[in-house]
Amino acid sequence: MTRGGAHDSGVPLGRELVALAESAMSLDPAAIDAARQTLLLAAGPEVLVDAAAVIGNFDRMNRIADAIGLPLDGPVDAISSDIQDELSLRE
């Protein structure tokens, strides 16, 4: 599930950070472990912990938004309308 890891964003450690984020989205323990080890070796434990905290925070914010029923913004609503209809998510 590569979304952008091959692209060089110019951000220091960008490839390693994207690989960690993408592996977290994949829920594949082996991919997560490999990405975690790569970032740890490249940047050290503090950067790894900060990156994991950012990933966890995004997950938390999405769960809160879903739980309280915040509406999707226009572009997200438009690109997800088919799946919303298929899953009967519209009120």
Side-chain angles (χ1 to χ4, degrees), residues 2-52:
T2 300
R3 299 188 194 288
H7 176 72
D8 183 5
S9 65
V11 173
L13 301 166
R15 289 177 192 254
E16 293 86 352
L17 292 166
V18 168
L20 182 63
E22 288 180 349
S23 69
M25 296 290 295
S26 76
L27 303 177
D28 176 354
I32 294 169
D33 188 52
R36 185 173 43 231
Q37 290 299 326
T38 298
L39 184 58
L40 179 62
L41 291 173
E46 285 122 7
V47 171
L48 175 60
V49 168
D50 286 349

